[in-house]
Amino acid sequence: MEPTETDALLVEFMDPAASVYRTVQSNEDSGVAELPLENNGRVEGRQTQRLMRQRISDDDEMLDIAMDGRDDHGMEVPDKSHGSTHLMDTLDDLPPGIGQYDDFHTIDWLRDVARDRMRHRHIVKKRQDGCWEKLKSAHDAWSGWVCVFLVGLAAGSCAGIIDIGATWMSDLKEGVCLDAFWFNQEQCCWTANSTTFNAEGDCDQWFTWPELIGSVSGAGSYIIGYLLYIVWAIIFGLLAAMLVRVFAPYACGSGIPEIKTILSGFIIRGYLGKWTLLIKSVGMMLAVSAGLSLGKEGPFVHVACCCGNIFSYLFPKYGRNEAKKREILSAASAAGVSVAFGAPIGGILFSLEEVSYYFPLKTLWRSFFCALIAAFILRSINPFGNDHLVMFYIDYNEQWSLQELIPFILLGALGGVFGKLFIKFNIMWCRYRKFSSLGNFPILEVLVVTFITALISYPNQYTRMNSSELIRLLVSRCGPEDEMELCDYNRNLSTPHPYQSSAVASSGVHSALWKLFLALIFKSVITVFTFGLKIPAGLFIPSMAVGAITGRMIGIGMEQLVLANPSSPLFANMCEQDSCHITPGLYALVGAAAALGGVTRMTVSLVVIMFELTGGLEYIVPLMCAAMTSKWVGDALGREGIYDAHIVLNGYPFLDSKEEFTHTTIAADVMRPRYWRYGIGVRNDPPLCVITQDTMTVEEVEQVMQNTMHNGFPVVVSRESQYLVGFVLRRDLNLAITNARKTSEGIVSNSTVYFTTHVPPSGPNDPVPLKLRKILDMAPITITDQTPMETVVEMFRKLGLRQNLVTHNGRLLGIITKKDVLRHIAQLENQDPESILFN
Amino acid sequence: MEPTETDALLVEFMDPAASVYRTVQSNEDSGVAELPLENNGRVEGRQTQRLMRQRISDDDEMLDIAMDGRDDHGMEVPDKSHGSTHLMDTLDDLPPGIGQYDDFHTIDWLRDVARDRMRHRHIVKKRQDGCWEKLKSAHDAWSGWVCVFLVGLAAGSCAGIIDIGATWMSDLKEGVCLDAFWFNQEQCCWTANSTTFNAEGDCDQWFTWPELIGSVSGAGSYIIGYLLYIVWAIIFGLLAAMLVRVFAPYACGSGIPEIKTILSGFIIRGYLGKWTLLIKSVGMMLAVSAGLSLGKEGPFVHVACCCGNIFSYLFPKYGRNEAKKREILSAASAAGVSVAFGAPIGGILFSLEEVSYYFPLKTLWRSFFCALIAAFILRSINPFGNDHLVMFYIDYNEQWSLQELIPFILLGALGGVFGKLFIKFNIMWCRYRKFSSLGNFPILEVLVVTFITALISYPNQYTRMNSSELIRLLVSRCGPEDEMELCDYNRNLSTPHPYQSSAVASSGVHSALWKLFLALIFKSVITVFTFGLKIPAGLFIPSMAVGAITGRMIGIGMEQLVLANPSSPLFANMCEQDSCHITPGLYALVGAAAALGGVTRMTVSLVVIMFELTGGLEYIVPLMCAAMTSKWVGDALGREGIYDAHIVLNGYPFLDSKEEFTHTTIAADVMRPRYWRYGIGVRNDPPLCVITQDTMTVEEVEQVMQNTMHNGFPVVVSRESQYLVGFVLRRDLNLAITNARKTSEGIVSNSTVYFTTHVPPSGPNDPVPLKLRKILDMAPITITDQTPMETVVEMFRKLGLRQNLVTHNGRLLGIITKKDVLRHIAQLENQDPESILFN
């Protein structure tokens, strides 16, 4: 391990089997939606130069007003410049490309934010120059709002299209609408205006495949239906897997772990590109329609973020500044959850709690706007034809009793245990996939899982139906119009409100319970194998389905228990005049929340999403009890949620902002090189690579760059007294020297490189000196070697640093990069020898 | 102006007329609820020592495991200690009191957080020692939850009591329930079970004062009622003002500006004490009952924070750590809004958006819990007897049309303008009060305002009633049971749903409009004079009332306009079959949101609060349009909300985390001393006060402390080469020296003070050296002089710094304190020469 190795090397530390990175890197024509770097850089470079020239005069003017006496300002230190040499001045007169990031690099938030403020100041200044500039300034001020408006619009539309497509294709597995094949079953029957629904909700215009083929009833019909169901499922699964494999490898999975990593300040080019968007959208429809145990709610976040990324390129303010772009992406992820659950407020809180790393409060308002627009658009599209944004909207408002909190807490505990087990087995399987030859056959794996899923699903009506339909069924209350098994109660229809009180279960309910139990087992197991397949796959719906099944079963049990003992003092207040009020649907809802909480470890956002689904404060307390229990039980068994577990599995450089750093190490224990005074460190730590401010030649500097892969180099006063002057990035240095050699006359290998303001006069035969003060960051963040790592971690998180220089009594000792911190944390906490980052 | 002056001096900069500070400081037996500092300090000091001793062995053990090879660790620098000398070790073996803060001081978040983590590690370590320690550890882990549970309980109960008390006393102004005088009008009539309500909602058991006195009708009755109304109002007002004046001067105002400041890391002792809680609660009931134009919703936040502060003392983890205590206070402020509006989610978002400064995400969940408990308790108390938490719950769910967005946006703009004007005039009046002799007669001022308010209010029914009742009336829909003026429409009762469509207004509506207009003018004007009186006074309700009146008027106008032109293409889709659907109550709701948004500049939390009031996504779009317009219009006219304006007015040291720093200054422009190289700076900047690490005597150090009021002193290698070694706090240094002189033998005035590990052997006649390395902070945060102020401000905000040392090439140049930053920002932005902080 080298000190301060460049982040580009990170990819080396990633899982060698994670073919997705390699594929994309070697397959440039695949999913890379970003503008080509070179182009980007050049445009920006030019613009930056213009900005800079303008700005210098601005500064003087402003400061003269603000701080009189500024001109007397001077420092004893020899290389202190007279005026103010800001961080951002260093970009002036530079070759293009400086200020950009390479793929798989970590961004420097401070630098990007400063760059944006400079741009902003420039625009404010120019506003005086006339109407056109005023207009441009107004456009700039509005662009954030316009951008999130467009993102909301796009996210809502995508969600609508995906919902409609998935419903249609899901129904296609069972039959077709002959009048208009592009209608799904529900729409088909609507347009037909038919009143002759049969028991399964069929109407005249809707033909199941057996009906079409001619075998209307009997075993033959069943077998034909079964076979066609499997065939369609395999076709959809194959298509989804092939599309992902061929066009956009990044479109697989839920995308949330990667989005968390990207929002924490990491660059993964193409992950949010237009190909990914397209393939993920289509793939989601296909994967859901294939009947696999996965949902489209998580991937909606990825889709919305793709929209965010694509639209941000319309606005250079966001598209060309990685830190600013993340504001749009935060808003987009809120929109994603908003359309997934029809919960705009839940969306913001999800974005805040779960996804975003660096969430400036001013983006809260914009995120909300974005989430709301998306929800509004989705409602206008009305994909489910029922004026609600989601399939499982709860429209009852029954009271619950205090003693029901016991089963609710039990559900929470079960949810926590389920979450932990699910995470454990899923990670085990994913790790096996990574390190075995299984990883080489992603399409085959999808086909096998699809086949098994379809084979087992069809016979059981609760697994055959779409997971979100199943959830809707489970959380709903049995009304007069429900004739299904699950509502087969012995109701006393002579009472005034027979459907508002509980009733004794009939045989139908018993058989439904058995089927639900089988569905529970099947879904729990198959989801472990499904999440991680190389197709778009969300986890919200399957885990909610598992929880809802458990909840409904416990709810029915509770209902029957109370009905059997209506006079027991335990249940006294739940029954009045022989009618007891227990809503098994509420148990299903609570169970769904608990299971989702156990898997994802969401808290506030989970409760708020559920609150928005039910639309009343009535059920917040049960939901909260379950969510809290689930989180605590889950955390007691293992602290990581599924997303964090996948981040660790894939070795993404994600510095969790929620986990506290509780160790007592100090900066000197983490910095590289560890033992600087020995020249060559123990454990092969090479000495710290520094550049001196006024003694090294171009060749020497180039030598230093060639010999090391460091991301940047500290500049010191001299080798003997290593007092820190500044920090220069490898990328900038490289570009500057290459450019100088090409364009400037007289720059040769033994030209001296000066980072000082004052360059001593050189004799006629001396080579022309190369002045590089412009690319020197004069304000690197430094800490002392005695700083506790708690503080260092805090600084990395909150300031979004890329590296931190360590000094002692002013002398440079070493450097700590974000990766050093991550490695250190893992070393202290993670006893898992298989941890990817360090293999 | 001195460099790095101690924050204690801040109080000097505050408004000399703000007698509240002086009063409390000189009046120790008044409202100071905190435990006495000395006591506190001593207990903590002892505990800290114990912790520290324990910890050192922990560290070695842990680190030996984690980082093998640690023992080879050594540095060339002479004073580098062998082991790790952490920031927190410096508290070891110290006299008591170190680590505490004085009143009106700024806290150091990093230090407090580190202290808490150390305490946590100690507990984790001790857990091995047996069952009792395990229990203590569990108690510690749970204490945060228990504490917020108690806070929620207390906040909900306080709110319930205040609501009931205020309603009862408000009704007392007009009459009394003879059967049970402790009932308010509504309860009185309920218990009477009377069905003979008269037009004003009276029943048999409720007697108005004229009725009791015997004059049942006519002018005499009116005059008696009028007089008694005024008399009661003046009694209530006088009581409120006297209570505040005598017992708890901090109980005045809304408290939100001060809570923002406290949460940003400032100490105001007694502001959240039990006297303040008691007097604020009673004073709120009295002030609301006096009929003044103020609300109790804002002060609920203060009341809840008082509960938070008081309960935090039950848990030393929170009570003795100012940074941790602020986590509880954040949760408490969420609970305050939760009970004020029955909006737990709105409460969290308010706490997040408006109040909290440093909101760790993990407290989000706890805040939610706290807010929910509070709302639940309040609902159980059921102060309004209608199962809702607030007076103005909206229970209709009418559709709105797209073209209605135009009046909604208009309402938003009006709200923004109102907000700006209100802030402007209110601040003008408050400034006048401060600097004129008016400030010396707070009770008289309250009496005069109360008298004028009562005098003008009584004749107009809309001003006579409670503001929150007025809002309820305005946002409600006219139903069949409403017989008041405002619902005097010519309805066609033969249609199936006569109350669901709009109708032509009758004379009653016209007269109501006139009265509402007068009420609008009166309320707008009187609120300017009311907010700032020395009584508890919230601003939410009066501004919402103003907005609701405007909204209702515009709503009725819109309704009549559409009814007059039902066939106009503009309104075509709003009318069907001669019945048009416009809900003036919705306009009132939107108007209320707009006015509140204009005054407070809340955004997401405002919309969410309104959303929770209405309980449906239906009206989010209108509300959002209005809130956005209001915020934009308001911001265009002046960026400060009322709370920020009051913070500036009172000169609180609040570093706004929402405002961006957009200037181009660098650290060298801000640090003190400005011109260090001249020895004595321009503008009388004295040279930087430093302490050397091994050359100064005790007397010299004492001299330095006597000559300056600085909060702390940098320790350098030597005066000649000012390389920074560490930072020592004045308070710690003072305590350490005083203690050493008392307890250690041989410490005399010319003992040398050593901050180094290695102390040279002294001759037999030399005085005993004083070793103070323990109190030296070896990890002060440093920046270079070239760091842009943007970055510096970011560091202060995000890391919660108290000061930042400025270096150049490793040499110490100066220091920047939080106050320097605040002064710099004000200097650059605030052209107001009367700015308090700098007078």
Side-chain angles (χ1 to χ4, degrees), chain A residues 59 75 77 85-86 121 358 365 372 620 624 628 662 664 666 723 778 784 786 790 794 798 808 828, chain B residues 59 66 77 85-86 121 358 365 372 620 624 628 662 664 666 723 778 784 786 790 794 798 808:
Chain A
D59 281 354
M75 295 281 167
V77 190
T85 314
H86 300 169
R121 278 194 292 267
Y358 185 95
W365 188 216
L372 207 70
I620 275 203
M624 186 138 183
M628 276 166 84
T662 52
T664 52
I666 58 172
Y723 292 110
M778 300 277 290
T784 71
Q786 297 297 306
E790 304 167 342
E794 198 93 336
K798 294 212 169 143
H808 180 92
L828 288 178
Chain B
D59 282 354
V77 190
T85 314
H86 300 172
R121 278 193 292 265
Y358 184 96
W365 188 216
L372 207 71
I620 275 204
M624 184 137 185
M628 276 165 83
T662 51
T664 51
I666 58 171
Y723 292 109
M778 300 279 289
T784 70
Q786 297 298 305
E790 303 168 341
E794 197 92 337
K798 295 212 168 143
H808 181 93

Side-chain angles (χ1 to χ4, degrees), chain A residues 107-110 781 795-796 799-804 818:
Chain A
I107 71 170
D108 187 333
W109 294 88
L110 277 182
I781 302 287
M795 287 174 81
F796 269 96
L799 302 177
L801 300 183
R802 203 177 181 183
Q803 71 277 316
N804 208 335
K818 193 170 176 184

